[in-house]
């Protein structure tokens, strides 16, 4: 949440035309009672784009799925994987894995109310509900309800005792169990998530599965996306140099500033663009210190680029997934 904003997604799309992008998780309450425009806003260039929903009430989820379709999203993804305490209080996220029948009812309602794909992102299990029997039951029920795409974080989640950060690191990764799901349900689409940081790892997973989702690696090392189309989608194109990517972003920034937006709301997503490059640390520091000032404009971004030494093209999401 607060990471995969529209500005971040527009930036990522400048590097990959084929990766499917996902919004931050948006709760049904935020859409129905909050700033709907903020969460549904997106640029046409971001497509294909999925809206990730967090919610429990089937009627509210269905209403929000209709909103997403009306707003032009390519997919609605139900989050059944987030383990945070705040999310659990609303019976949202990973705790839904304890209610497969309820999730299936919501999925069925959303599928019948819309014409875009309704997908699920989930864990291998939660707490003591982590057997293959329970996992396969969860997938089977929701497939019967109309879900054809399952994005699986290849870890279980502990709802008590571990923080969200610890739940991304401590439970062991079990990619073999995701492959076993694909073998058990070959007609369904399975996308693996968790612990994947290189395109070589992505390619290896795609030998057995239908898609790969990258989260934090695509955020902290966004230039990885510049090689996605050629490496994973067999759609090679010249890899733009980093400074050319920023030059193409400038008109978007100018429009954002002209409508009263702050530079920092965009540049905070650019901090990793020069990761491991000469001058990259200075680029990051300068933007962090100056882009949040009220009068900050494009000159701040250009000055940050001046810290970069000789810039070379190259590249080694986020995600390379089902088309």
């Amino acid at each position: 949440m607060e990471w995969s904003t529209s500005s971040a997604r527009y930036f990522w799309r400048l590097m990959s035309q084929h990766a499917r992008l996902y919004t931050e998780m948006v709760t049904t309450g935020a859409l129905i009672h909050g700033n709907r425009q903020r969460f549904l806003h997106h640029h046409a260039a971001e497509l294909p784009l999925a809206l990730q929903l967090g919610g429990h009430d089937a009627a509210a989820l269905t209403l929000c799925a209709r909103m997403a379709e009306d707003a032009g999203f390519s997919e609605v993804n139900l989050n059944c994987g987030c383990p945070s305490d705040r999310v659990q209080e609303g019976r949202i996220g990973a705790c839904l894995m304890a209610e497969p029948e309820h999730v299936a009812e919501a999925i069925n309602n959303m599928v019948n109310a819309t014409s875009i794909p309704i997908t699920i992102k989930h864990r291998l299990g939660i707490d003591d509900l982590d057997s293959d029997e329970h996992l396969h039951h969860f997938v089977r029920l929701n497939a019967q309800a109309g879900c054809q795409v399952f994005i699986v974080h290849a870890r279980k989640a502990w709802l008590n005792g571990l923080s969200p950060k610890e739940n991304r690191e401590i439970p062991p990764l079990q990619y073999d169990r995701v492959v076993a799901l694909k073998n058990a349900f070959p007609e369904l689409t399975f996308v693996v998530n968790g612990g994947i940081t290189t395109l070589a790892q992505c390619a290896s997973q795609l030998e057995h599965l239908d898609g790969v989702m990258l989260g934090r690696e695509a955020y902290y090392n966004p230039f990885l996306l510049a090689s996605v189309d050629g490496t994973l989608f067999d759609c090679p194109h010249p890899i733009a140099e980093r400074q050319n990517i920023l030059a193409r972003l400038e008109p978007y920034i100018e429009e954002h500033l002209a409508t009263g937006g702050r530079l920092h709301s965009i540049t905070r997503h650019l901090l990793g663009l020069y990761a491991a490059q000469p001058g990259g640390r200075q680029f990051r520091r300068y933007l962090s210190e100056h882009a949040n000032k009220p009068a900050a404009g494009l000159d701040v971004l250009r000055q940050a680029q001046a810290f970069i030494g000789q810039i070379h093209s190259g590249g080694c999401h986020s995600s390379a997934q089902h088309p």
Side-chain angles (χ1 to χ4, degrees):
M1 297 175 73
E2 304 290 339
W3 290 36
S4 184
T5 66
S6 182
S7 296
R9 300 188 305 259
Y10 186 91
F11 167 56
W12 296 332
R13 187 58 78 206
L14 294 176
M15 291 172 280
S16 171
Q17 296 300 302
H18 296 283
R20 179 168 294 238
L21 303 180
Y22 284 74
T23 69
E24 59 195 310
M25 185 181 74
V26 182
T27 65
T28 54
L31 279 182
I32 296 172
H33 306 295
N35 187 349
R36 187 177 307 175
Q37 173 61 22
R38 175 199 182 283
F39 294 112
L40 294 181
H41 169 74
H42 61 278
H43 193 284
E46 298 172 38
L47 302 172
L49 174 65
L51 177 71
Q52 186 175 111
L53 279 178
H56 182 274
D57 181 75
L61 285 167
T62 302
L63 175 59
C64 291
R66 290 198 197 100
M67 291 181 193
E69 182 173 35
D70 291 343
F73 284 87
S74 313
E75 171 189 332
V76 170
N77 178 254
L78 178 61
N79 186 305
C80 297
C82 180
S84 78
D85 293 341
R86 185 177 63 175
V87 165
Q88 288 182 57
E89 290 174 1
R91 296 172 69 192
I92 297 171
C95 62
L96 286 173
M97 291 202 71
E99 303 181 63
E101 290 81 8
H102 178 78
V103 175
E105 177 188 358
I107 290 293
N108 185 254
N109 288 354
M110 288 191 283
V111 167
N112 289 333
T114 62
S115 60
I116 57 176
I118 307 296
T119 68
I120 295 176
K121 186 173 189 289
H122 62 94
R123 295 279 185 136
L124 294 175
I126 53 171
D127 300 332
D128 294 327
L129 291 173
D130 65 341
S131 67
D132 284 341
E133 180 182 7
H134 180 77
L135 176 61
H136 287 222
H137 177 64
F138 181 88
V139 168
R140 184 180 299 108
L141 277 184
N142 283 286
Q144 291 170 352
C147 179
Q148 298 296 301
V149 178
F150 295 82
I151 302 169
V152 188
H153 187 153
R155 290 184 174 95
K156 67 177 292 182
W158 288 102
L159 300 186
N160 296 296
L162 294 183
S163 69
K165 181 177 185 297
E166 290 170 331
N167 262 306
R168 294 192 300 268
E169 300 171 350
I170 292 177
L173 286 160
Q174 297 177 291
Y175 298 128
D176 58 313
R177 294 185 66 191
V178 186
V179 174
L181 274 175
K182 178 63 182 178
N183 292 336
F185 304 95
E187 73 283 4
L188 301 177
T189 294
F190 288 95
V191 178
V192 66
N193 170 239
I196 299 167
T197 60
T198 70
L199 297 191
Q201 290 173 320
C202 291
S204 177
Q205 293 288 352
L206 289 170
E207 293 177 6
H208 309 286
L209 297 165
D210 304 297
V212 179
M213 173 178 276
L214 299 184
R216 281 162 181 77
E217 187 64 23
Y219 192 90
Y220 287 127
N221 181 24
F223 197 61
L224 180 69
L225 289 168
S227 297
V228 162
D229 291 357
T231 302
L232 301 181
F233 288 94
D234 195 26
C235 295
H237 52 71
I239 297 176
E241 294 185 350
R242 290 170 173 85
Q243 73 268 33
N244 291 340
I245 292 168
L246 292 182
R248 291 166 58 201
L249 185 63
E250 284 196 3
Y252 180 88
I253 295 175
E254 287 178 328
E255 182 178 349
H256 174 77
L257 295 175
T259 57
R262 298 283 290 271
L263 181 67
H264 173 70
S265 66
I266 295 178
T267 58
R268 69 188 182 92
H269 303 298
L270 313 181
L271 299 180
L273 182 61
Y274 289 97
Q277 298 296 302
R281 184 174 299 177
Q282 292 87 341
F283 171 85
R284 180 187 182 98
R285 182 184 301 122
Y286 191 87
L287 283 183
S288 297
E289 292 176 354
H290 297 278
N292 59 351
K293 296 178 180 178
L298 275 173
D299 58 311
V300 171
L301 178 58
R302 292 167 181 164
Q303 181 59 46
Q305 287 180 267
F307 288 100
I308 302 300
Q310 177 152 9
I311 304 172
H312 301 280
S313 64
C316 342
H317 80 270
S318 333
S319 53
Q321 300 173 28
H322 52 286

